[in-house]
Amino acid sequence: MGRVAIVTGGSRGIGASISKALKAAGHEVAATYGGNDEAAKAFTDETGIRTFKFDVGDYDACKSGIAEVEEAMGPVEILINNAGITRDAPFHKMTPDQWKAVIDTNLTGVFNMTHNVWTGMRDRSFGRIVTISSINGQKGQFGQANYSAAKAGDIGFTKALAQEGAKKGITVNVVSPGYIATDMVMAVPEKVREQIVAQIPVGRLGEPDEIARCVAFLVSDDAGFITGATLSANGGQYLS
Ligand code: CAA
């Protein structure tokens, strides 16, 4: 059954793969993005998926952005909180701005988006929410005190909200990727990246489509009994 889905950060990287997978599953997809107009336009030209520009870290921008999507497409039944950034630095070098930027986008952004679709989902007694966390929210990562804190927070948020949504037909889950071949991972210095790949038992980075398929399953009607779960897809790098 086709539903209206929002994918934040949905025009690039893992988000773009998720947007395409949900479209292929028959859903009507709105992909949001924060700043890269060129990539968003290329994505729409390639896929026909509409993009909407707003900052997930800004509550009012999320409210009006979601209203715009609903006006164009109808009530949002699926929300994928995928937008995320890194500002890596060892903690003794990490600035308050690096801390705040990552928490605002990767954790508060999840609140801002979810809060603005929650009442509608409760009223209609149906919803699917999937938040993209990270292996580094589960195991911690040198140089990512900000990112690990936010991504661990996403998991706690999900477990709490799953309990609140259960009686209202809303499932709330996490997909937790390991190291995936995206621009974000390619920005890690090559030497460090080689060391990381050496720690992945399957011996390679993951592919964005491998994460998208996890998301497509969790939003499907088949996954109605799964809520509050964290689905790890990390090539065996961290077993929780
Ligand atoms: N464990 C222990 N020590 C480490 C270390 C590690 N993993 N990484 C670096 N160090 C040590 C270095 O050996 C060095 O030690 P010495 O001073 O004794 O020589 C010290 O830390 C400082 O290292 P650098 O000079 O390299 O410090 P830097 O400021 O230039 O950079 C860094 C540090 C930014 C953390 C860099 O090492 C880095 O980018 N690491 C990768 C972090 C990472 O994995 N990010 C994930 C990005 S992808 C993503 O986030 C997606 C996802 O969800 C998986």
Side-chain angles (χ1 to χ4, degrees):
M1 180 182 170
R3 304 184 187 280
V4 174
I6 296 188
V7 182
T8 67
S11 63
R12 293 199 301 136
I14 291 173
S17 288
I18 295 170
S19 295
K20 290 185 217 172
L22 296 189
K23 184 180 180 200
H27 303 301
E28 196 177 348
V29 179
T32 82
Y33 70 103
N36 192 333
D37 295 317
E38 211 178 306
K41 185 177 178 314
F43 174 77
T44 300
D45 290 347
E46 177 205 333
T47 62
I49 295 171
R50 283 185 63 177
T51 55
F52 295 80
K53 183 178 183 179
F54 58 89
D55 175 5
V56 296
D58 177 337
Y59 186 86
D60 291 336
C62 290
K63 194 181 183 69
S64 53
I66 289 167
E68 198 188 331
V69 170
E70 294 200 321
E71 172 106 18
M73 299 181 176
V76 174
E77 292 182 291
I78 298 171
L79 169 65
I80 314 301
N81 290 308
N82 164 78
I85 60 169
T86 53
R87 297 286 183 271
D88 293 357
F91 192 62
H92 63 280
K93 291 186 192 166
M94 188 173 286
T95 65
D97 281 350
Q98 289 174 319
W99 171 266
K100 191 170 180 313
V102 170
I103 299 295
D104 283 356
T105 299
N106 299 12
L107 181 57
T108 308
V110 172
F111 169 82
N112 293 341
M113 289 300 294
T114 306
H115 201 248
N116 279 301
V117 299
W118 191 249
T119 301
M121 288 181 176
R122 278 171 53 87
D123 288 348
R124 294 184 301 274
S125 294
F126 182 86
R128 289 277 190 271
I129 297 171
V130 177
T131 297
I132 307 302
S133 178
S134 164
I135 185 174
N136 293 342
Q138 296 171 291
K139 73 169 183 59
Q141 170 59 42
F142 188 105
Q144 288 200 308
N146 48 5
Y147 187 88
S148 298
K151 293 295 189 179
D154 290 334
I155 294 173
F157 172 84
T158 294
K159 288 178 176 174
L161 216 53
Q163 296 177 39
E164 295 192 23
K167 276 203 177 130
K168 290 287 183 184
I170 307 169
T171 67
V172 192
N173 290 291
V174 160
V175 170
S176 187
Y179 282 77
I180 308 301
T182 60
D183 292 347
M184 186 184 272
V185 168
M186 293 309 167
V188 172
E190 195 179 345
K191 227 175 118 197
V192 178
R193 206 170 58 239
E194 282 168 9
Q195 288 162 7
I196 291 168
V197 174
Q199 293 162 19
I200 305 175
V202 303
R204 63 172 175 86
L205 296 173
E207 293 298 328
D209 285 351
E210 293 179 301
I211 302 306
R213 287 195 289 271
C214 297
V215 174
F217 169 64
L218 286 173
V219 305
S220 72
D221 288 349
D222 287 343
F225 200 56
I226 302 175
T227 195
T230 297
L231 177 52
S232 297
N234 62 35
Q237 188 183 352
Y238 181 73
L239 308 175
S240 56

